Amino acid sequence: MQATTRESTGDTSRWLKGLLGNEKRWVRLSIAAGIFAGLMLVLQAHLLARAVNETLFQGAQLSELKGLLVMLLLALLFRGASGVLREWSGQRASVGVRSRLRAELLARLAQLGPAYSKSQRSGELSSLLMEQVEALDGFIARYLPQMALAGIIPLVILAFVLPINWAAVLIFLATAPLIPLFMAMVGTRAAEANRRNFRALAQLSGYFLDVVQGLGTLKLFSRSQEQQQIIADNADEFRIRTMQVLRLAFLSSAVLEFFASISIAILAVYLGFSFLGLLDFGSWGGEITLYHALFLLILAPEFYLPLRELGTHYHSKQEAIAAAERIIDLLDEQEYLESGGQQVLPESQPDLKLHQISFSYPEQPQPVLHNFCLQVAPGECVALVGPSGAGKSTVLNLLAGFDCPQQGEIRISTIPLAQLSRSVWMEKVAFVSQHTTLFPGSIRDNLLMANPQATDDQIRAACDQAAASEFIDCLAEGLDTRVGEAGANFSGGQIQRLSLARAFLKNAPVLLLDEPTASLDLASEELVLQALARLCRGRTTLLLTHRPATMRLADRLCVLQQGECVEADAALRKQLQEMVS
């Protein structure tokens, strides 16, 4: 099990590094800036040790050291500037990767379609797109450059120390491996703590969003106080898990600082005994001078600093790996739709054909559709009726491409849906649901989603045809009226008429209508029916409904029973017509 986890961690780490793409140049610039800062550090140590040595043992005056001090100041300035450049370039790489990854995740969710999104908790998806993608920042901006610098900077320092004292080099080489060793030991526990932390955050986000969306229902049943306590308990649990992660991070830093201090102390003891004459090895043919000792002692903390910083940022790596696992799961999620075709539809009015379709949801053993067959001729309006849960909405999702059947084939004008260009097919379809979503913005913005290039005259004509102008004209700001959260400032009938206005504005040849008059009062229903009659004229239409009045719009009536489609006979049609009258 541990071997599998390590292998998975290695794959995830390689996947994270593969995200860099064009941002590699910024990581390389960050590494180059870090190397330059290391060189400036060596120069700074040399100048400082020389200045002190000349002052104490050669009696140099301040005026004689001006050149050294100016060079020392320049080295400090250059080192500071390179540190700023290193941090800036690392952040450029991180921002680029995170922006591209979020766009990729959003595109993936669009590919998976509404069927997948509805099966997930919105709060968890939001947490994935925000917090978990954000958790990659430390890995890209700091850990990756530091991983290279942790191998390069110590070698640079050793290259300058070796000509002075080989014993110091041996001390450095003997003690340096202790830091990454204990870093890995502590980091393993940190990785598991981060995984638990992200799972708790995703659950808390999902639960909190569910409570906010259902707050009205909770108030009606006097359960809001109880939910408040549950959220408080979950938040406290998340706080505890977060503190566990921080405790491991501080433990890691403390361990690394301890071993670095021990290593520096060993070098200081060696130099002290050498000055006392008790040790006479290490130098190349001469005794250790004050310049040598100062130079080595100044460089000693800096030799371990890249390793200590790597240990600090190793926590960022474990956090990124824990976050990346869920991101990879989403990107690897099996698509519901069989897209990717390049064929386009002819200009003529399309027809729809579903042949021997079988479909079942993963959580339901019984198939929703079984050997389902249905054909809608060009320009024909077919009403599909049946009890709730019979699978009517599933048929629309299959036609829209949000789901794909396990068996059977869907053809649009003799072309298999799987071979059609996804974008071309979406341009040919107008979808009117019983639960229309309005987005923040104005009425105009919501209508322009159907046709971004539409003019004001076209928008006004679409509203007139959908009987939406009746209430839009009564609003003080008209089409520029702001839409509340999910259309809260409009009635169900008004929202449905805006949905029909979208369909008129899109002017697509295929209409998919899902209970367009559900939950409407009689007056609103009559207005929507009149608009629907105009909308369906000359278009290939599949209409799902329970309402007898809506069935009058159809040329044919089909009944969905036990997963199969049966065309209604004359007796049933007559019975429905009598119900309407």
Side-chain angles (χ1 to χ4, degrees):
M1 180 67 179
Q2 291 180 352
T4 304
T5 303
R6 285 194 296 269
E7 181 179 352
S8 175
T9 301
D11 293 340
T12 305
S13 181
R14 284 189 291 273
W15 179 84
L16 285 169
K17 293 176 184 176
L19 289 176
L20 288 175
N22 293 331
E23 273 66 41
K24 281 183 180 179
R25 66 184 187 275
W26 299 114
V27 175
R28 294 192 185 106
L29 179 59
S30 179
I31 295 171
I35 294 173
F36 182 76
L39 292 173
M40 290 298 101
L41 170 67
V42 174
L43 177 60
Q44 178 185 332
H46 162 70
L47 294 172
L48 186 59
R50 183 179 166 186
V52 173
N53 183 64
E54 291 183 5
T55 300
L56 294 179
F57 289 95
Q58 298 179 17
Q61 300 298 317
L62 182 61
S63 59
E64 300 173 354
L65 298 177
K66 284 183 179 179
L68 286 177
L69 295 177
V70 169
M71 293 178 62
L72 179 61
L73 178 61
L74 290 175
L76 285 170
L77 292 175
F78 281 128
R79 185 184 175 193
S82 60
V84 172
L85 177 61
R86 173 186 165 190
E87 183 66 22
W88 176 82
S89 54
Q91 284 299 323
R92 279 293 300 267
S94 174
V95 169
V97 169
R98 286 181 285 132
S99 299
R100 191 175 67 250
L101 181 59
R102 282 196 176 101
E104 188 177 347
L105 288 170
L106 288 171
R108 186 60 177 168
L109 286 172
Q111 287 179 339
L112 293 172
Y116 174 81
S117 300
K118 288 180 180 178
S119 67
Q120 305 295 312
R121 301 182 74 177
S122 300
E124 291 185 7
L125 290 178
S126 299
S127 173
L128 174 67
L129 288 168
M130 298 303 297
E131 284 85 0
Q132 297 194 34
V133 172
E134 197 68 23
L136 307 186
D137 174 57
F139 176 82
I140 297 166
R142 288 174 284 278
Y143 177 78
L144 285 181
Q146 191 61 41
M147 187 169 61
L149 293 174
I152 296 174
I153 297 299
L155 292 178
V156 170
I157 292 177
L158 288 177
F160 285 94
V161 171
L162 183 59
I164 296 175
N165 191 290
W166 57 265
V169 171
L170 292 180
I171 292 173
F172 287 154
L173 291 176
T175 55
L178 294 174
I179 295 178
L181 174 64
F182 283 90
M183 171 186 72
M185 291 175 61
V186 177
T188 302
R189 290 193 59 193
E192 182 56 36
N194 272 300
R195 290 188 186 93
R196 294 194 301 267
N197 196 44
F198 278 121
R199 284 196 294 268
L201 177 60
Q203 292 172 1
L204 178 61
S205 300
Y207 190 84
F208 182 74
L209 182 59
D210 291 343
V211 169
V212 170
Q213 291 176 335
L215 190 58
T217 303
L218 293 172
K219 284 288 186 182
L220 289 173
F221 288 94
S222 301
R223 308 289 289 188
S224 57
Q225 293 297 324
E226 178 183 340
Q227 295 302 317
Q228 179 182 350
Q229 185 59 44
I230 293 175
I231 290 177
D233 293 341
N234 289 338
D236 192 58
E237 180 183 356
F238 177 67
R239 177 189 62 81
I240 293 172
R241 292 186 184 278
T242 301
M243 296 308 296
Q244 289 174 347
V245 174
L246 291 176
R247 183 174 61 195
L248 288 172
F250 285 121
L251 175 63
S252 175
S253 299
V255 169
L256 300 183
E257 290 290 344
F258 172 76
F259 283 104
S261 300
I262 292 295
S263 303
I264 296 170
I266 292 174
L267 177 64
V269 168
Y270 161 73
L271 293 173
F273 277 106
S274 296
F275 278 124
L276 293 173
L278 300 177
L279 297 176
D280 59 354
F281 64 88
S283 296
W284 299 97
E287 63 181 18
I288 297 177
T289 66
L290 178 62
Y291 164 77
H292 295 154
L294 285 175
F295 183 70
L296 293 176
L297 285 175
I298 292 173
L299 287 183
E302 307 300 334
F303 175 83
Y304 297 104
L305 181 62
L307 297 173
R308 283 157 39 209
E309 288 185 353
L310 180 64
T312 302
H313 299 320
Y314 190 74
H315 170 73
S316 299
K317 175 191 175 182
Q318 298 301 335
E319 184 182 20
I321 288 176
E325 290 176 354
R326 179 67 184 97
I327 296 174
I328 294 173
D329 288 342
L330 177 57
L331 293 174
D332 291 342
E333 189 73 38
Q334 182 180 359
E335 289 190 32
Y336 281 81
L337 64 98
E338 296 178 354
S339 59
Q342 298 297 323
Q343 294 197 38
V344 296
L345 287 170
E347 293 299 325
S348 58
Q349 186 73 26
D351 66 292
L352 314 176
K353 183 178 180 181
L354 296 90
H355 180 66
Q356 298 292 315
I357 298 296
S358 294
F359 181 85
S360 59
Y361 291 102
E363 64 275 9
Q364 297 179 2
Q366 290 295 112
V368 179
L369 302 176
H370 179 66
N371 294 329
F372 179 89
C373 295
L374 177 65
Q375 187 163 1
V376 184
E380 183 183 27
C381 179
V382 174
L384 184 62
V385 300
S388 297
K392 300 188 300 299
S393 296
T394 300
V395 174
L396 286 194
N397 287 335
L398 291 171
L399 277 170
F402 300 154
D403 286 316
C404 64
Q406 281 90 35
Q407 293 180 4
E409 188 177 48
I410 301 173
R411 287 183 174 268
I412 313 296
S413 295
T414 73
I415 302 175
L417 180 58
Q419 297 178 15
L420 276 178
S421 168
R422 176 75 179 158
S423 59
V424 169
W425 175 232
M426 286 293 95
E427 290 175 1
K428 300 288 186 181
V429 174
F431 197 113
V432 178
S433 171
Q434 59 180 313
H435 303 297
T436 298
T437 300
L438 296 182
F439 297 94
S442 65
I443 294 177
R444 188 193 311 275
D445 295 333
N446 276 270
L447 295 178
L448 285 174
M449 292 180 64
N451 183 3
Q453 286 75 40
T455 64
D456 282 352
D457 290 340
Q458 290 173 320
I459 294 174
R460 177 61 61 183
C463 292
D464 290 341
Q465 290 176 301
S469 298
E470 174 190 344
F471 70 88
I472 293 177
D473 292 338
C474 296
L475 300 173
E477 298 183 53
L479 290 170
D480 295 319
T481 300
R482 307 301 296 178
V483 175
E485 183 72 22
N489 51 335
F490 295 105
S491 67
Q494 291 172 336
I495 292 174
Q496 204 65 358
R497 280 181 272 172
L498 289 175
S499 177
L500 291 173
R502 279 179 181 169
F504 275 112
L505 195 59
K506 188 171 185 180
N507 195 26
V510 177
L511 284 177
L512 303 179
L513 307 176
D514 185 5
E515 300 284 0
T517 59
S519 304
L520 299 182
D521 58 81
L522 292 177
S524 297
E525 181 183 28
E526 185 59 32
L527 289 172
V528 170
L529 284 174
Q530 293 173 10
L532 280 173
R534 293 189 291 269
L535 181 61
C536 296
R537 193 175 300 124
R539 291 182 171 89
T540 305
T541 305
L542 181 59
L543 168 65
L544 309 187
T545 184
H546 288 108
R547 309 287 283 266
T550 311
M551 296 175 194
R552 289 184 301 178
L553 301 173
D555 302 314
R556 282 194 299 126
L557 185 64
C558 295
V559 182
L560 182 57
Q561 294 178 339
Q562 297 180 347
E564 297 184 4
C565 183
V566 179
E567 189 162 351
D569 54 20
L572 179 56
R573 290 187 65 88
K574 183 177 179 181
Q575 180 182 356
L576 292 172
Q577 290 174 356
E578 291 175 353
M579 292 173 62
V580 174
S581 60

